[in-house]
Amino acid sequence: MANKEKYTVADLRAELEAAGIRPTAQRIAILGFMRENPVHPTAEVVYAALSGEIGSLSLTTVYNTLKLLVEHGLVSMLTIDDTFKCFDGNVNMHAHLMCMECKTIFDMPMPESVASFVEGLEDFEPKDVQLYVKGICKKCKLNKEK
């Protein structure tokens, strides 16, 4: 769901309301940032991006809102690295690649074998599936070879 598409305030408000969340200006802005920026940001990155346009925004509000969005399934939290938590506005099933050099996280389609396995489970309803692959991205690999 996360992409460079522009979401309207009405779309974001409706999404929050459908999840049972009161749509405050801060929550709408944070969800909008997550939907429009598939960069797997930390709470600090979200705060830095939005604090200039929302004067009343605090880092605590960002943390609390992201936690609320995760609890209601609108955003997922990635703990691919022990040093930081980042968030993903794309809640559709997909995998992640993380470069161990630059720490960039990339989305990739979930391998069909994993998706089939999860969808075929009987007597168990999966709520979250995480597949992480750590390695070196092409850009960092090329920089090392120079």
Side-chain angles (χ1 to χ4, degrees), residues 5 8 18 35 40 46 49 56 59 62 67 76 82-83 96 98 116 131 134 138:
E5 179 181 333
T8 68
R35 291 289 184 253
H40 308 94
V46 175
S56 61
L59 185 55
V62 174
K67 181 178 183 247
S76 60
D82 292 339
T83 59
H96 292 99
M98 184 183 119
S116 295
L131 175 61
K134 296 180 182 181
K138 184 176 181 178

Side-chain angles (χ1 to χ4, degrees), residues 1-7 32-39 88-90 92 107:
M1 190 170 202
N3 56 37
K4 285 296 186 182
E5 179 181 333
K6 204 67 166 137
Y7 289 79
F33 181 85
M34 294 304 301
R35 291 289 184 253
E36 294 172 6
N37 296 282
V39 294
D88 191 349
N90 179 354
N92 297 316
D107 286 345

Side-chain angles (χ1 to χ4, degrees), residues 9-80:
V9 171
D11 292 338
L12 298 166
R13 177 182 300 278
E15 191 172 355
L16 289 167
E17 288 174 345
I21 299 172
R22 188 170 55 90
T24 65
Q26 292 93 344
R27 290 172 179 169
I28 291 168
I30 292 167
L31 181 60
F33 181 85
M34 294 304 301
R35 291 289 184 253
E36 294 172 6
N37 296 282
V39 294
H40 308 94
T42 61
E44 291 80 4
V45 169
V46 175
Y47 173 73
L50 297 176
S51 62
E53 53 185 81
I54 304 173
S56 61
L57 188 67
S58 69
L59 185 55
T60 300
T61 298
V62 174
Y63 272 110
N64 290 338
T65 299
L66 288 170
K67 181 178 183 247
L68 184 67
L69 296 175
V70 168
E71 289 170 356
H72 285 83
L74 299 178
V75 169
S76 60
M77 181 172 56
L78 306 178
T79 53
I80 192 169

